[in-house]
Amino acid sequence: KGSGLDVLRLLKASPGTRDIPVIVISGSSDPDMPAKVKALGATDYVAKPFDIPRIQSVLAVHLGT
């Protein structure tokens, strides 16, 4: 059984998927999680619980809208 971090590692390790932007949405209580996922190559991090305006804001930043 793997974790989301394992999936992120696999995506970023493969030439065919490493350039796909990944926004991690997590309910982790680890205060270092945002830094961990960014170090693994995530584009951004959103903590749960979240609201729709927060997701829209993150997507707008990364989609350039």
Side-chain angles (χ1 to χ4, degrees):
K1 182 177 178 179
S3 72
L5 294 179
D6 294 329
V7 172
L8 181 57
R9 282 185 193 97
L10 288 171
L11 286 170
K12 294 305 177 177
S14 173
T17 57
R18 77 171 43 125
D19 295 327
I20 295 172
V22 176
I23 298 171
V24 173
I25 299 174
S26 175
S28 173
S29 60
D30 180 352
D32 297 325
M33 188 58 70
K36 288 178 183 178
V37 300
K38 287 198 176 183
L40 290 173
T43 305
D44 210 332
Y45 177 87
V46 177
K48 290 180 186 177
F50 60 88
D51 55 28
I52 297 302
R54 170 72 175 129
I55 295 296
Q56 289 171 327
S57 172
V58 169
L59 290 174
V61 165
H62 297 294
L63 295 175
T65 60

